[in-house]
Amino acid sequence: MEAELTMPVQLDADLLQTIAAIRDVDDAYLQRAQQRLDSLTKPLGSLGQLETVAAQYVAWREEDPPRICRKAVYVFAGDHGITDEGVSAYPREVTPQMVQNFLNGGAAINVLARQTGSDVVVVDVGVDTEFDRTSPLLHRKVRRGTRNFAREAAMTPEELNAAIRVGMQLAEQASAEGRTLIALGEMGIGNTSSASAITSALTGGPVSGLTGLGTGIQQERREHKAAVIEKALRLHFGDYRSIKPEPLEVLRCVGGLEIAAITGAVLGAAAHRIAVVIDGFICTAGAAVACAIAPNVRSGIIAGHLSQEPGHRVLLASMGVKPVLQLDMRLGEGTGAVLTFPLVEAAVRIYNEMATFQSAGVSEASKG
């Protein structure tokens, strides 16, 4: 099958302006943070990844002492036309049903957010239904679900820009509200197919090795799902493993509206120096696109956990990001990201409150 002729996506001027505002981490802040951690009453590096997270947070926020204020998880929801190909165990009607569950406070993400003292912000970017306009849902619908990317591009360039803008604007609002640490989550039946397609296109890895069981499909359907994704990638990009398609075009052709919003949220948060905890495979796909077009965002990303989806490990490795938790989770919603909040808070408290060798009158280790 011949590939469709595609042109690189052109981002709107305001989106480009946000990307231009993203700075890399200042090495001076990173060095000062590490010096502080090394001065605390413990063997060097003995708190492991807690120290890494503390130094990262301090350097990214450029605050000393660092603060964590008004934690929130943003759950972006959207439907996927690829479900027409029979790639999911659940019908797409589950997406709006779960959105309502979020709004009612009955989902796993609601429970974990209450446990960690975090706000839950639910955003309709592309659910294939019309919700009650009086509900607490943020109504940011770009369209009612993506197109079936096995047959045509999931989004037009205009729709992609609009979905990215949703995430960017919410990050800007988060900054205005004084939030310093946010988590990103998602809901969308069929979105692991998009995540696998994005991962394969960005990394050049084989679809068969990057496609998992999603919402719990059987092996036969997993093989069908991988075949559908492989065929779709060749439709849009031809020999995609050799040519390395342009990241935004990958997102447009095989991504999701909620994934594009996550890309925008990562970019927008980075422009405002908000630290972002990403969730699992689908969130990481959106974050990976953000890293590909604006590499400086990587320094502000904390990977909450390692999902059971096989493509997640590959995608995180390609980004150079190490997950904090490994709990064999694959739910989504932002659950793994929110579970990481207490560890980020613990890392910052260690940084702020632990005594130094000098202040405690404790002898340091001898050199050599």
Side-chain angles (χ1 to χ4, degrees):
M1 179 180 294
E2 293 186 1
E4 291 182 338
L5 293 176
T6 59
M7 297 294 290
V9 174
Q10 297 296 315
L11 289 178
D12 292 345
D14 58 328
L15 305 186
L16 290 172
Q17 186 176 7
T18 296
I19 292 171
I22 299 170
R23 297 178 290 108
D24 197 3
V25 70
D26 186 332
D27 285 342
Y29 275 98
L30 195 59
Q31 290 169 7
R32 284 202 296 270
Q34 193 58 59
Q35 288 170 358
R36 162 73 181 171
L37 289 163
D38 290 347
S39 74
L40 302 179
T41 49
K42 58 177 178 54
L44 289 177
S46 58
L47 285 174
Q49 204 168 348
L50 280 178
E51 296 188 39
T52 304
V53 169
Q56 178 186 1
Y57 187 85
V58 171
W60 184 249
R61 288 289 302 161
E62 299 182 346
E63 292 178 330
D64 202 352
R67 301 170 302 119
I68 293 178
C69 302
R70 303 200 63 194
K71 304 184 304 295
V73 56
Y74 292 79
V75 185
F76 297 94
D79 275 308
H80 290 255
I82 193 67
T83 56
D84 293 346
E85 302 297 320
V87 296
S88 177
Y90 289 89
R92 64 195 302 174
E93 289 79 15
V94 170
T95 303
Q97 291 166 0
M98 282 303 300
V99 167
Q100 194 60 55
N101 194 21
F102 299 149
L103 297 175
N104 293 339
I109 188 58
N110 301 103
V111 175
L112 295 175
R114 289 193 291 269
Q115 171 69 22
T116 57
S118 311
D119 297 328
V120 179
V121 182
V122 187
V123 189
D124 173 16
V125 192
V127 181
D128 188 17
T129 196
E130 294 299 330
F131 292 100
D132 180 358
R133 302 296 296 187
T134 64
S135 74
L137 178 70
L138 290 188
H139 301 274
R140 302 290 188 273
K141 195 190 304 290
V142 174
R143 60 169 281 127
R144 291 182 58 152
T146 55
R147 297 167 186 83
N148 181 353
F149 72 73
R151 304 177 185 277
E152 58 183 321
M155 292 170 269
T156 66
E158 294 75 19
E159 289 162 353
L160 177 63
N161 271 272
I164 291 173
R165 183 176 289 105
V166 168
M168 279 191 179
Q169 289 176 341
L170 289 176
E172 182 177 2
Q173 182 179 330
S175 177
E177 293 169 347
R179 302 190 191 277
T180 65
L181 177 67
I182 64 172
L184 302 179
E186 44 61 41
M187 177 63 215
I189 297 300
N191 61 13
T192 56
S193 294
S194 281
S196 294
I198 290 169
T199 302
S200 187
L202 292 183
T203 68
V207 172
S208 59
L210 301 172
T211 303
L213 302 179
T215 50
I217 58 177
Q218 299 301 310
Q219 180 62 22
E220 183 178 352
R221 186 177 286 189
R222 190 202 70 82
E223 293 172 359
H224 165 71
K225 176 179 174 180
V228 167
I229 295 168
E230 174 72 26
K231 187 177 179 181
L233 287 171
R234 295 197 177 278
L235 167 69
H236 297 294
F237 308 116
D239 186 8
Y240 65 94
R241 294 181 65 185
S242 298
I243 66 171
K244 285 293 185 77
E246 195 272 330
L248 285 173
E249 190 64 6
V250 170
L251 183 57
R252 183 182 79 82
C253 290
V254 299
L257 292 157
E258 82 281 29
I259 297 175
I262 288 166
T263 298
V266 171
L267 293 167
H272 292 282
R273 308 306 279 188
I274 298 172
V276 172
V277 185
I278 56 174
D279 192 36
F281 188 31
I282 295 95
C283 266
T284 304
V289 174
C291 287
I293 63 176
N296 287 345
V297 306
R298 195 200 67 78
S299 297
I301 293 172
I302 299 168
H305 75 114
L306 178 64
S307 168
Q308 278 194 314
E309 285 290 314
H312 194 210
R313 185 186 300 272
V314 173
L315 202 51
L316 288 173
S318 75
M319 295 165 61
V321 178
K322 183 179 179 181
V324 176
L325 300 172
Q326 185 170 350
L327 300 173
D328 294 333
M329 295 171 64
R330 54 180 174 85
L331 175 60
E333 303 179 6
T335 49
V338 168
L339 277 172
T340 307
F341 275 166
L343 294 178
V344 179
E345 291 177 301
V348 169
R349 292 196 72 160
I350 286 289
Y351 184 93
N352 284 338
E353 300 177 21
M354 194 169 170
T356 65
F357 283 101
Q358 183 177 10
S359 69
V362 176
S363 299
E364 298 188 49
S366 59
K367 305 293 184 182

XYZ file of all heavy atoms in Angstrom, residues 171-236:
464
model
N -2.431 24.585 31.292
C -1.166 24.755 32.019
C -0.975 26.216 32.412
O -0.525 26.524 33.527
C 0.001 24.268 31.170
N -1.307 27.113 31.517
C -1.218 28.542 31.828
C -2.158 28.895 32.980
O -1.791 29.643 33.891
C -1.563 29.364 30.593
C -1.455 30.863 30.799
C -1.737 31.651 29.539
O -2.064 31.034 28.505
O -1.631 32.889 29.577
N -3.359 28.316 32.957
C -4.309 28.559 34.044
C -3.790 27.984 35.352
O -3.939 28.596 36.420
C -5.653 27.932 33.686
C -6.744 28.146 34.718
C -8.058 27.531 34.293
O -8.374 27.436 33.115
N -8.842 27.075 35.265
N -3.176 26.801 35.281
C -2.601 26.194 36.488
C -1.550 27.108 37.105
O -1.477 27.266 38.330
C -1.999 24.832 36.151
N -0.734 27.719 36.265
C 0.277 28.650 36.755
C -0.381 29.852 37.430
O 0.039 30.282 38.512
C 1.163 29.113 35.597
O 2.105 30.068 36.027
N -1.426 30.371 36.807
C -2.136 31.520 37.378
C -2.781 31.177 38.716
O -2.933 32.044 39.589
C -3.193 32.012 36.396
N -3.132 29.907 38.891
C -3.742 29.447 40.143
C -2.703 29.108 41.206
O -3.061 28.687 42.308
C -4.620 28.227 39.869
C -5.851 28.540 39.018
C -6.575 27.302 38.530
O -6.008 26.185 38.627
O -7.704 27.445 38.032
N -1.430 29.250 40.868
C -0.372 29.007 41.839
C 0.024 27.553 41.984
O 0.649 27.174 42.981
N -0.290 26.731 41.009
C 0.082 25.312 41.078
C 1.549 25.156 40.665
O 1.984 25.712 39.657
C -0.822 24.471 40.177
C -2.303 24.597 40.537
C -3.139 23.571 39.776
N -4.574 23.827 39.899
C -5.326 23.436 40.919
N -4.767 22.777 41.926
N -6.626 23.705 40.951
N 2.278 24.367 41.433
C 3.697 24.140 41.127
C 3.980 22.711 40.685
O 5.051 22.431 40.158
C 4.565 24.437 42.360
O 4.263 23.493 43.400
C 4.331 25.854 42.862
N 3.031 21.809 40.925
C 3.214 20.389 40.607
C 1.881 19.836 40.133
O 0.880 19.910 40.852
C 3.685 19.621 41.849
C 3.868 18.106 41.710
C 5.023 17.779 40.760
C 4.111 17.462 43.076
N 1.854 19.288 38.909
C 0.631 18.706 38.377
C 0.912 17.316 37.841
O 2.044 16.970 37.505
C -0.008 19.570 37.270
C 0.914 19.676 36.048
C -0.381 20.957 37.811
C 0.260 20.365 34.845
N -0.140 16.522 37.789
C -0.085 15.202 37.160
C -0.988 15.219 35.946
O -1.971 15.975 35.878
C -0.537 14.115 38.138
N -0.667 14.375 34.976
C -1.473 14.262 33.769
C -2.002 12.839 33.644
O -1.273 11.863 33.859
C -0.650 14.628 32.534
C -0.036 16.034 32.537
C 0.773 16.261 31.273
C -1.111 17.102 32.687
N -3.290 12.733 33.303
C -3.931 11.443 33.086
C -4.833 11.506 31.875
O -4.992 12.556 31.246
N -5.454 10.388 31.536
C -6.275 10.335 30.328
C -7.353 9.266 30.449
O -7.293 8.388 31.305
C -5.413 10.073 29.097
C -4.340 8.983 29.254
C -4.854 7.604 29.570
O -5.897 7.206 28.975
O -4.238 6.902 30.384
N -8.319 9.391 29.574
C -9.349 8.364 29.413
C -9.791 8.359 27.958
O -10.155 9.409 27.428
C -10.553 8.653 30.324
C -11.710 7.668 30.153
S -11.229 5.989 30.595
C -12.183 5.035 29.418
N -9.728 7.204 27.334
C -10.185 7.108 25.949
C -10.057 5.687 25.438
O -8.942 5.188 25.243
N -11.183 5.020 25.260
C -11.145 3.654 24.738
C -10.453 3.663 23.372
O -10.791 4.466 22.502
C -12.574 3.076 24.622
C -13.216 2.982 26.013
C -12.553 1.711 23.938
C -12.470 2.104 26.997
N -9.472 2.789 23.221
C -8.709 2.712 21.974
C -7.401 3.470 22.008
O -6.622 3.410 21.045
N -7.123 4.179 23.113
C -5.934 5.047 23.062
C -4.608 4.314 23.231
O -3.558 4.870 22.911
C -6.041 6.237 24.018
C -6.173 5.872 25.480
O -5.965 4.730 25.870
N -6.534 6.868 26.298
N -4.615 3.055 23.683
C -3.340 2.327 23.676
C -2.904 2.010 22.247
O -1.711 1.878 21.981
C -3.409 1.018 24.491
O -4.467 0.206 24.005
C -3.597 1.302 25.970
N -3.866 1.912 21.323
C -3.500 1.717 19.909
C -2.749 2.936 19.394
O -1.734 2.812 18.706
C -4.755 1.462 19.059
O -5.360 0.236 19.404
N -3.245 4.122 19.731
C -2.539 5.345 19.336
C -1.166 5.408 19.985
O -0.177 5.775 19.339
C -3.364 6.572 19.737
O -4.410 6.804 18.822
N -1.079 5.066 21.270
C 0.206 5.126 21.965
C 1.216 4.166 21.346
O 2.393 4.507 21.179
C 0.014 4.819 23.451
N 0.770 2.959 20.992
C 1.675 2.001 20.347
C 2.133 2.510 18.991
O 3.311 2.385 18.630
C 0.980 0.647 20.186
O 0.722 0.044 21.439
N 1.211 3.099 18.223
C 1.557 3.636 16.912
C 2.556 4.787 17.041
O 3.541 4.856 16.289
C 0.293 4.105 16.194
N 2.326 5.688 17.979
C 3.240 6.811 18.203
C 4.616 6.302 18.610
O 5.649 6.769 18.112
C 2.664 7.763 19.264
C 1.437 8.502 18.717
C 3.722 8.769 19.726
C 0.648 9.248 19.777
N 4.650 5.331 19.516
C 5.915 4.794 20.004
C 6.715 4.158 18.878
O 7.924 4.385 18.743
C 5.669 3.769 21.120
O 4.946 4.395 22.176
C 6.977 3.211 21.657
N 6.049 3.362 18.055
C 6.737 2.709 16.948
C 7.269 3.731 15.948
O 8.403 3.637 15.485
C 5.786 1.725 16.246
O 6.477 0.967 15.276
N 6.462 4.745 15.641
C 6.884 5.755 14.672
C 8.040 6.605 15.204
O 8.958 6.958 14.457
C 5.704 6.653 14.309
N 8.022 6.932 16.510
C 9.070 7.783 17.076
C 10.368 7.035 17.332
O 11.458 7.604 17.204
C 8.595 8.412 18.385
C 7.469 9.451 18.309
C 7.192 10.021 19.696
C 7.784 10.566 17.336
N 10.262 5.763 17.713
C 11.461 5.006 18.097
C 11.963 4.072 17.008
O 13.102 3.605 17.076
C 11.205 4.170 19.366
O 10.261 3.125 19.068
C 10.658 5.042 20.496
N 11.116 3.766 16.025
C 11.494 2.797 14.997
C 11.372 1.361 15.453
O 11.764 0.436 14.731
N 10.816 1.148 16.645
C 10.650 -0.212 17.156
C 9.512 -0.947 16.460
O 8.601 -0.327 15.905
N 9.547 -2.279 16.486
C 8.502 -3.071 15.817
C 7.176 -2.982 16.556
O 7.133 -3.084 17.784
C 9.059 -4.495 15.857
C 9.960 -4.512 17.055
C 10.555 -3.143 17.139
N 6.102 -2.792 15.815
C 4.773 -2.671 16.419
C 4.448 -3.883 17.278
O 3.894 -3.763 18.375
C 3.697 -2.482 15.325
C 2.304 -2.563 15.924
C 3.890 -1.149 14.625
N 4.803 -5.070 16.803
C 4.442 -6.296 17.525
C 5.026 -6.328 18.924
O 4.413 -6.857 19.854
C 4.906 -7.527 16.739
O 6.319 -7.486 16.551
N 6.208 -5.736 19.104
C 6.845 -5.736 20.410
C 6.439 -4.569 21.293
O 6.817 -4.520 22.463
N 5.664 -3.644 20.739
C 5.270 -2.442 21.473
C 3.782 -2.406 21.774
O 3.296 -1.448 22.368
C 5.649 -1.197 20.662
C 7.131 -1.048 20.319
C 7.342 0.107 19.352
C 7.965 -0.862 21.578
N 3.071 -3.445 21.354
C 1.614 -3.487 21.509
C 1.251 -4.485 22.589
O 1.594 -5.676 22.500
C 0.938 -3.873 20.180
O 1.341 -2.942 19.166
C -0.576 -3.860 20.313
N 0.553 -4.000 23.609
C 0.184 -4.857 24.728
C -1.283 -5.228 24.729
O -1.971 -5.134 23.703
N -1.774 -5.583 25.906
C -3.141 -6.084 26.043
C -4.148 -4.985 26.327
O -5.354 -5.253 26.405
C -3.193 -7.139 27.157
C -2.266 -8.340 26.952
C -2.381 -9.294 28.130
C -2.593 -9.074 25.658
N -3.650 -3.746 26.479
C -4.572 -2.622 26.662
C -5.514 -2.840 27.828
O -5.104 -3.050 28.967
N -6.811 -2.798 27.536
C -7.828 -2.948 28.575
C -8.113 -4.403 28.918
O -9.095 -4.692 29.601
C -9.134 -2.263 28.134
O -9.470 -2.709 26.821
C -8.988 -0.760 28.145
N -7.283 -5.321 28.428
C -7.454 -6.724 28.793
C -7.872 -7.629 27.651
O -8.562 -8.631 27.867
N -7.437 -7.315 26.424
C -7.781 -8.149 25.282
C -7.000 -9.457 25.329
O -5.976 -9.571 26.003
C -7.508 -7.415 23.952
C -6.033 -7.003 23.863
C -8.426 -6.209 23.810
C -5.661 -6.343 22.540
N -7.483 -10.458 24.611
C -6.812 -11.750 24.525
C -5.708 -11.697 23.468
O -5.631 -10.766 22.659
C -7.829 -12.842 24.185
C -8.928 -12.990 25.227
C -8.384 -13.315 26.607
O -7.577 -14.226 26.770
N -8.823 -12.558 27.613
N -4.852 -12.723 23.461
C -3.694 -12.733 22.581
C -4.079 -12.620 21.113
O -3.421 -11.898 20.345
C -2.875 -14.006 22.816
C -1.637 -14.129 21.947
C -0.628 -13.016 22.198
O -0.634 -12.399 23.251
N 0.239 -12.759 21.235
N -5.124 -13.294 20.693
C -5.530 -13.243 19.287
C -5.894 -11.815 18.874
O -5.514 -11.346 17.803
C -6.725 -14.178 19.045
C -7.155 -14.241 17.587
C -8.305 -15.221 17.361
O -8.660 -15.967 18.315
O -8.841 -15.253 16.239
N -6.609 -11.131 19.760
C -6.976 -9.747 19.430
C -5.755 -8.835 19.512
O -5.664 -7.857 18.766
C -8.083 -9.243 20.352
C -8.601 -7.857 19.941
C -9.746 -7.365 20.791
N -10.991 -8.054 20.494
C -12.175 -7.679 20.985
N -12.254 -6.626 21.790
N -13.257 -8.353 20.696
N -4.822 -9.134 20.397
C -3.591 -8.337 20.456
C -2.846 -8.417 19.131
O -2.325 -7.410 18.630
C -2.686 -8.818 21.592
C -1.505 -7.878 21.864
C -0.363 -8.569 22.579
N 0.312 -9.526 21.712
C 1.241 -9.184 20.814
N 1.609 -7.928 20.667
N 1.802 -10.103 20.060
N -2.779 -9.606 18.557
C -2.105 -9.773 17.260
C -2.851 -8.999 16.170
O -2.223 -8.382 15.284
C -2.006 -11.250 16.915
C -1.067 -12.017 17.852
C -1.113 -13.519 17.643
O -1.903 -13.971 16.766
O -0.372 -14.241 18.339
N -4.180 -9.029 16.228
C -4.981 -8.261 15.276
C -4.716 -6.766 15.458
O -4.546 -6.018 14.469
C -6.466 -8.566 15.479
C -7.388 -7.593 14.813
N -7.541 -7.539 13.436
C -8.195 -6.613 15.328
C -8.401 -6.570 13.133
N -8.804 -6.008 14.263
N -4.663 -6.321 16.695
C -4.410 -4.908 17.006
C -3.061 -4.475 16.433
O -2.946 -3.404 15.804
C -4.450 -4.726 18.525
C -4.120 -3.348 19.058
C -4.234 -3.370 20.593
C -3.794 -2.091 21.249
N -3.913 -2.151 22.725
N -2.040 -5.285 16.628
C -0.712 -4.951 16.112
C -0.711 -4.886 14.591
O -0.075 -4.002 13.998
C 0.312 -5.973 16.609
N -1.434 -5.807 13.966
C -1.500 -5.810 12.496
C -2.206 -4.560 11.974
O -1.792 -3.977 10.963
C -2.213 -7.070 12.016
N -3.266 -4.150 12.652
C -3.986 -2.934 12.258
C -3.068 -1.719 12.370
O -3.020 -0.866 11.471
C -5.244 -2.742 13.142
C -5.830 -1.339 12.969
C -6.293 -3.793 12.806
N -2.316 -1.623 13.466
C -1.416 -0.488 13.679
C -0.309 -0.475 12.636
O 0.021 0.575 12.060
C -0.833 -0.527 15.099
C -1.934 -0.343 16.141
C 0.246 0.547 15.279
C -1.506 -0.653 17.560
N 0.275 -1.640 12.377
C 1.350 -1.727 11.384
C 0.867 -1.271 10.009
O 1.541 -0.478 9.319
C 1.852 -3.173 11.312
C 2.864 -3.441 10.214
C 4.227 -2.825 10.483
O 4.566 -2.623 11.662
O 4.956 -2.561 9.511
N -0.292 -1.742 9.621
C -0.861 -1.360 8.319
C -1.130 0.142 8.270
O -0.878 0.803 7.252
C -2.146 -2.152 8.071
C -2.752 -1.965 6.688
C -3.973 -2.850 6.519
C -4.607 -2.662 5.149
N -5.826 -3.509 4.986
N -1.629 0.693 9.360
C -1.932 2.126 9.410
C -0.656 2.962 9.302
O -0.628 3.986 8.600
C -2.671 2.459 10.704
N 0.398 2.562 10.000
C 1.642 3.311 9.933
C 2.209 3.315 8.513
O 2.737 4.335 8.044
C 2.666 2.725 10.910
C 2.393 3.022 12.387
C 3.331 2.207 13.274
C 2.550 4.509 12.695
N 2.082 2.211 7.830
C 2.563 2.151 6.444
C 1.666 2.971 5.518
O 2.142 3.549 4.533
C 2.676 0.708 5.982
C 3.744 -0.062 6.762
C 4.190 -1.340 6.112
N 5.256 -1.959 6.902
C 6.539 -1.621 6.833
N 6.925 -0.653 5.996
N 7.434 -2.229 7.577
N 0.390 3.031 5.829
C -0.527 3.884 5.065
C -0.092 5.344 5.139
O -0.046 6.050 4.122
C -1.954 3.738 5.607
C -2.984 4.774 5.127
C -3.278 4.573 3.639
C -4.268 4.674 5.944
N 0.241 5.792 6.328
C 0.543 7.212 6.523
C 1.991 7.575 6.223
O 2.265 8.686 5.755
C 0.210 7.624 7.958
C -1.235 7.503 8.301
N -2.204 8.276 7.707
C -1.889 6.672 9.165
C -3.397 7.943 8.199
N -3.222 6.972 9.083
